[in-house]
Amino acid sequence: MYKIVRKRTLNPTVVEMCVDAPRVARRAEPGQFVILRTDAFGERIPLTVADYDREAGTVTIIFQLVGATTMKLGAMEVGDEIHDFVGPLGRPTETAGLSRVAVVGGGVGCAIAYPVAKKLHGLGVTVHSVVGFRTRDLVILEDEFRSVSDVYKLMSDDGSVGEHGLVTDALRALIESGERYDEVIAIGPLPMMKFVSLLTKEYGIKTVVSMNPIMIDGTGMCGCCRLTVDGKMKFACVDGPDFDGHEVDFDEAMARAAMYRPFEAEARDHMCNLLKTGGAE
Amino acid sequence: MPNMQVKKTAMPTQSAEVRARNFDEVTLGYTETDAINEATRCLHCKNRPCVSGCPVAIDIPDFIAEVAVGNFDGAYDVISKASSLPAVCGRVCPQETQCEAKCVRGIKGEPVGIGRLERFVADRHNEKKHEIKKPVPNGHSVAVVGSGPSGLTCAGELARMGYAVTVFEALHTAGGVLVYGIPEFRLPKSIVSLEIENLRALGVKIETNMVIGRVLTVDDLLADGFECVFIGTGAGLPKFMNIPGESCNGVFSANEFLTRVNLMGAYRDGADTPVMHAKHVAVVGGGNVAMDAARCALRLGADDVTIVYRRGEEELPARREEVEHAKEEGVAFRLLTNPVEIIGDEKRAVRAIRCVKMELGEPDASGRRRPVEVKGSEFELPVDCVIMALGTSPNPLIKSTTDGLDTERWGGIVADENGATSRPAVYAGGDAVTGAATVILAMGAGKSAARAIDEYIRNK
C-alpha cells in the first residue's frame, strides 16, 4: 500500500498527488512512468512521474480526471493508500549531449514536460518552454515552468491567457525568429504531438514525443501499447515511452487510443453517479 | 487382478452447453469411487514406463497403489516427494505426451488416467487444513524473481531447507502465468492462492509490484544481502505475425486478452478493466494458450470462435483434452490455414482476416512437416476480433539490466541443468531458460535450482 502524503488541485480537472513510494523514488527519472491501481478491484493505469524526491522517498503524479479510475483516484485524500504503485517503468528521457531544447507541453501533458524541463535546466541546458491550454482556468505549473525556462511562451486556444493560438504557432515563430534547437521535446495530446512533429520536420529539428497509449502490465507482456515507429512495431512500455516524433504513426495511435471509449464513457458516468451520491456501496 | 476396463473412468464434467457460457471449472474431479476404480486399472509394470515419462519422475505406480487402497494421504506423500504443485499439474500437464503416453494400458485401450488421479489426490489433500511448521532458519537468504511455477517451487524448496526467501513479482498478484494466463475454468485461482498461502506459512515473503530490472536490478538484490538470486521470469513477451493490419483495434495478443480476462477479472460484471466482447473471433495458433483464448472469447458471448492454425490436427500442440473440450463447446477449427492480412474498416477496427490454405510439405527442423501455401487459395473470414496466440519469448528486461548474464540469441537465459548461469550466485529456470514450455518442466527446474543454490551457499 502506498500512502498519499500531499494532494493539491492544479485546476478544476487536474490533481497533483505526492505518494510515499521509496522504491519507485530511488530510481525514477523524468520520462518514466508508474502503473497504479486504486484498490484491489481497480484497473491498472499508467501515469507519468511528474516529480520525485529520493530522500523523502516520494513520487509525484499529476493526472486529469478523465475516466472512472482517475476520478476514483481524485476522490482519495491525504492519508489514504493507493493499493498498487509500481515503477519506475519505461526508459528515461534522454538528456545527454543537449544544449538548446524547446520543451512543448499541451494541457495536462505539461505535468510530464515540466520534470524534463527541470532536469535539462539543472544540466545547464538552455530551455525554451512552449505550453498551451484550452483556456485560462486550465493553466497548470506556470511558476514551476518559469523557474526552469529561459523563455516561457504561454498559449491558449481562446486567447484568455498568454497569447491566442496553438503551441505550433509559438514554436514556428521562435524558429522563424532565428532560435536554433538541438531538439524539440513535445508532450501532450496526440494531435498536438503530431502537428509539432510535422512542423519540426519542415525545419529538420529532431523531435522526441512521449507516448501514453493504453497499457495493462507495463512490462512488455501484453502488447496492448504497441505503436508503429519507423514502420516497426514498438511497445511504448518497454521501448518508450519516448520516441522520435518524425517516425511515429500518430493516426494509428489515435485510432488505438479510441478503442475503449464507449466502455470508458459508461464507466465514467457510473463513477460520477457514485461520487455524487457519496460513494460506492 | 487389475481392473481391465478398457477406457479411463469418465471424468465428471460440466455439460458443454452450460460451461461454454460460464467461467467455472470444466472438469469436476473424480469421486472417491471413481478414483479407486481408476487406480485399480494400473498394472504395476516392473519397468515403470510411466515414471520415465514424467519430467520430475513422480513414483506414479506407488501413489496409484495408495489410491487403490483408499490411502489418499499416503498417495499425496508419494507425489509430494517429487512435485510441489500436484493440484496444478494434475490439471495442466500434457499427460498424453508424458506419463500416460508410456502407459502399457494405452496399447489396447486408454492409458490409466494418471493426471486425473494426481488431481484427485491433491484436491483431497487441499480439502483439509494442514498445519505448516515453520522450518528452523539457517541464517541465509535468497531472492526469487518471478512467482510462476518455477519461482514458487524454488521458493518452497529453499524455505523448507531453512532459507529466508523473498519472492519478487512484477504484477500485483502472485502466481505468474497460473493467474494471468490460465483461465479459471481450467485452473481455479483458489488453487493457486492456496499454494501461495502455503508458501507464506512456510515463511516466504512475497513482494508484488516489483519489476526486477526496473525497480531493483539483480545486482541490487545481491548488494542488498541476498546470497543467491533465482530468475524465474518466464516467457511473457508476445509474438505477432508482422502481417498488415495487426495494429487494428480488435487485434490482441493472447497475453493481453487473457490478462484482461484472468488477472484483471474483466469477465465479471462491474470490473473496472474493459475487455472486448467480440461477436466473431479468430484465434491464431494451436497451443493451449490458443485454446484458452478461444474458450474465453466464447464465454464472453461470442457467436462464433475459430481457431486458425497453419498445420494439421495431428500437429496441434495443445493438450488433447483442451482441443476436445474446445470442440465440444463449439469452437470451430480451420486447420492448415494461415492468416496473411487483417482487414480493418474506416475506423481501423477489424472487419475480416484474410487467410491462405496450407498443405504439409517436407519435415522442418522441429521434425514436423512444414506447412506450405496453396497458391490461389486465399479467402476472407469475417471477424471483429483476432487473437494472436503464436507463442511467447522471454522478457529481455533482466538480461538488459544484468551485466555478464549470458543469453541465447532468441532471448533465453543460458543455464546448466542445475540452473547455474554465467553469473556466480545467479540461477535461472523455467520458461526464462527454455522458452515457453510446461508448468511441470518449470517446476522441475525450480526444484533442481533450489538444490544447487543450497549446495552453492553451503560451500561458499
Side-chain angles (χ1 to χ4, degrees):
Chain A
M1 301 288 257
Y2 305 81
K3 192 175 266 180
I4 299 166
V5 294
R6 273 198 310 279
K7 179 184 174 184
R8 119 179 127 116
T9 302
L10 299 186
N11 78 26
T13 63
V14 176
V15 175
E16 179 188 81
M17 264 180 191
C18 183
V19 180
D20 183 43
R23 273 176 161 158
V24 184
R26 175 172 166 180
R27 279 262 157 74
E29 292 287 344
Q32 291 187 295
F33 63 95
V34 297
I35 282 195
L36 64 80
R37 283 201 315 160
T38 52
D39 55 82
F41 307 97
E43 64 174 333
R44 296 169 66 95
I45 60 159
L47 286 175
T48 305
V49 170
D51 207 350
Y52 47 83
D53 183 334
R54 300 205 205 285
E55 276 179 23
T58 57
V59 172
T60 302
I61 48 173
I62 295 178
F63 54 93
Q64 192 162 18
L65 308 172
V66 281
T69 298
T70 45
M71 289 173 76
K72 230 197 255 182
L73 182 63
M76 294 173 83
E77 297 298 338
V78 170
D80 289 347
E81 290 182 328
I82 297 172
H83 200 280
D84 298 288
F85 195 86
V86 52
L89 300 169
R91 295 167 187 269
T93 300
E94 298 264 359
T95 49
L98 298 175
S99 63
R100 291 179 64 81
V101 175
V103 175
V104 183
V108 74
C110 288
I112 312 164
Y114 165 66
V116 177
K118 181 178 158 188
K119 178 163 186 196
L120 289 169
H121 177 75
L123 292 169
V125 176
T126 300
V127 177
H128 290 187
S129 295
V130 179
V131 297
F133 300 91
R134 276 208 327 275
T135 184
R136 166 190 287 274
D137 293 347
L138 301 180
V139 174
I140 58 169
L141 302 175
E142 181 170 355
D143 295 341
E144 286 84 347
F145 261 109
R146 283 189 190 278
S147 70
V148 298
S149 307
D150 299 274
V151 169
Y152 175 76
K153 285 273 181 201
L154 173 61
M155 307 297 288
S156 62
D157 294 2
D158 63 358
S160 59
V161 67
E163 283 177 44
H164 189 182
L166 302 171
V167 289
T168 40
D169 300 332
L171 183 62
R172 187 184 291 276
L174 283 167
I175 298 168
E176 287 292 333
S177 74
E179 297 289 355
R180 289 289 164 262
Y181 302 113
D182 312 326
E183 193 170 295
V184 170
I185 299 177
I187 305 172
L190 289 168
M192 183 211 93
M193 293 195 286
K194 173 182 170 177
F195 285 105
V196 168
S197 299
L198 286 173
L199 168 71
T200 55
K201 199 160 187 182
E202 284 175 37
Y203 295 97
I205 307 170
K206 187 185 173 198
T207 297
V208 171
V209 294
S210 175
M211 302 300 284
N212 188 13
I214 302 170
M215 283 186 192
I216 308 177
D217 63 288
T219 65
M221 204 185 83
C222 78
C224 178
C225 65
R226 63 191 186 274
L227 307 161
T228 303
V229 182
D230 192 22
K232 293 186 219 46
M233 187 188 290
K234 295 283 178 190
F235 291 178
C237 66
V238 286
D239 300 320
D242 288 359
F243 292 99
D244 184 333
H246 297 156
E247 295 183 339
V248 171
D249 183 339
F250 284 102
D251 294 334
E252 177 190 292
M254 285 188 257
R256 288 187 65 75
M259 169 86 202
Y260 293 100
R261 242 168 235 159
F263 181 96
E264 284 161 5
E266 201 179 305
R268 186 181 52 226
D269 293 347
H270 181 64
M271 187 54 62
C272 284
N273 289 334
L274 285 180
L275 293 175
K276 244 183 263 163
T277 55
E281 264 107 294
Chain B
M1 181 64 197
N3 168 359
M4 292 313 288
Q5 175 186 317
V6 175
K7 293 203 159 197
K8 286 181 188 174
T9 308
M11 175 62 116
T13 304
Q14 278 197 72
S15 80
E17 307 80 68
V18 173
R19 71 179 192 245
R21 300 288 156 177
N22 71 44
F23 275 84
D24 299 337
E25 192 170 17
V26 168
T27 52
L28 305 171
Y30 275 168
T31 62
E32 220 175 279
T33 323
D34 292 335
I36 293 174
N37 185 58
E38 184 62 18
T40 55
R41 293 183 63 229
C42 177
L43 300 176
H44 294 281
C45 314
K46 271 220 173 66
N47 57 348
R48 303 153 72 88
C50 51
V51 180
S52 70
C54 175
V56 298
I58 294 174
D59 283 326
I60 294 166
D62 294 4
F63 100 74
I64 290 181
E66 300 292 352
V67 175
V69 297
N71 181 10
F72 308 128
D73 292 338
Y76 186 83
D77 292 341
V78 174
I79 296 176
S80 56
K81 271 190 255 160
S83 170
S84 323
L85 303 169
V88 175
C89 293
R91 287 173 166 82
V92 305
C93 256
Q95 289 95 2
E96 73 269 22
T97 61
Q98 300 181 351
C99 52
E100 293 181 18
K102 309 271 174 139
C103 178
V104 172
R105 292 298 305 266
I107 300 167
K108 281 188 188 166
E110 289 184 352
V112 174
I114 301 168
R116 295 173 181 185
L117 289 171
E118 181 187 24
R119 168 186 165 169
F120 168 80
V121 169
D123 287 356
R124 268 302 278 244
H125 176 84
N126 288 344
E127 273 168 20
K128 283 178 274 171
K129 222 169 152 49
H130 300 272
E131 206 182 318
I132 293 174
K133 273 202 220 108
K134 268 203 186 153
V136 184
N138 68 6
H140 298 279
S141 65
V142 177
V144 170
V145 184
S147 65
S150 71
L152 291 181
T153 307
C154 186
E157 294 290 316
L158 288 166
R160 273 181 220 103
M161 296 178 207
Y163 286 90
V165 182
T166 305
V167 177
F168 295 95
E169 165 57 44
L171 294 172
H172 56 261
T173 306
V177 72
L178 305 176
V179 297
Y180 77 72
I182 306 178
E184 178 76 17
F185 58 81
R186 198 149 79 79
L187 178 66
K189 298 303 153 247
S190 57
I191 291 172
V192 185
S193 42
L194 183 73
E195 295 296 343
I196 301 204
E197 279 323 303
N198 288 345
L199 277 190
R200 285 212 170 95
L202 274 173
V204 172
K205 258 174 73 181
I206 297 177
E207 294 210 32
T208 52
N209 296 328
M210 292 297 288
V211 182
I212 301 304
R214 286 274 185 245
V215 184
L216 297 171
T217 61
V218 168
D219 287 292
D220 289 335
L221 296 174
L222 292 168
D224 286 353
F226 290 106
E227 291 163 75
C228 272
V229 176
F230 174 77
I231 303 170
T233 45
L237 210 66
K239 288 183 188 150
F240 287 90
M241 294 188 77
N242 294 316
I243 57 174
E246 266 182 317
S247 60
C248 283
N249 286 344
V251 181
F252 306 95
S253 74
N255 264 7
E256 178 184 349
F257 186 72
L258 292 172
T259 298
R260 285 179 181 275
V261 174
N262 302 325
L263 178 72
M264 306 309 298
Y267 66 89
R268 293 190 207 105
D269 278 343
D272 283 358
T273 304
V275 69
M276 184 181 183
H277 291 252
K279 285 292 159 205
H280 311 285
V281 180
V283 179
V284 183
N288 288 320
V289 175
M291 301 304 141
D292 287 346
R295 296 167 73 194
C296 282
L298 205 61
R299 283 158 172 77
L300 289 172
D303 293 337
D304 55 81
V305 180
T306 309
I307 293 270
V308 175
Y309 180 57
R310 65 199 182 113
R311 301 182 198 251
E313 173 101 27
E314 289 291 299
E315 288 81 16
L316 281 169
R319 291 175 84 218
R320 200 66 240 161
E321 188 180 69
E322 308 312 328
V323 176
E324 294 307 326
H325 282 161
K327 283 184 178 169
E328 288 165 15
E329 290 165 14
V331 174
F333 284 71
R334 291 258 190 179
L335 302 172
L336 291 167
T337 302
N338 204 32
V340 288
E341 182 184 358
I342 296 161
I343 303 160
D345 63 14
E346 67 289 351
K347 286 186 170 158
R348 298 182 187 236
V350 176
R351 181 174 68 71
I353 182 167
R354 180 173 295 139
C355 301
V356 61
K357 295 243 167 83
M358 311 291 278
E359 57 192 5
L360 292 179
E362 295 301 307
D364 63 13
S366 74
R368 296 181 297 181
R369 291 175 64 194
R370 185 196 302 274
V372 204
E373 282 187 15
V374 178
K375 284 231 159 47
S377 66
E378 287 194 13
F379 68 99
E380 270 181 29
L381 204 59
V383 291
D384 55 1
C385 173
V386 175
I387 301 169
M388 294 293 181
L390 308 158
T392 51
S393 47
N395 193 312
L397 199 50
I398 297 256
K399 166 193 128 182
S400 64
T401 55
T402 312
D403 284 338
L405 184 71
D406 290 350
T407 51
E408 305 282 358
R409 212 169 42 86
W410 51 269
I413 297 171
V414 177
D416 70 11
E417 69 280 7
N418 296 317
T421 68
S422 55
R423 284 275 308 260
V426 179
Y427 290 75
D431 287 3
V433 169
T434 58
T438 57
V439 170
I440 185 103
L441 280 172
M443 192 200 76
K447 212 171 167 108
S448 32
R451 279 189 223 116
I453 288 169
D454 177 49
E455 203 176 298
Y456 172 86
I457 291 178
R458 280 161 180 279
N459 294 333
K460 239 180 11 177

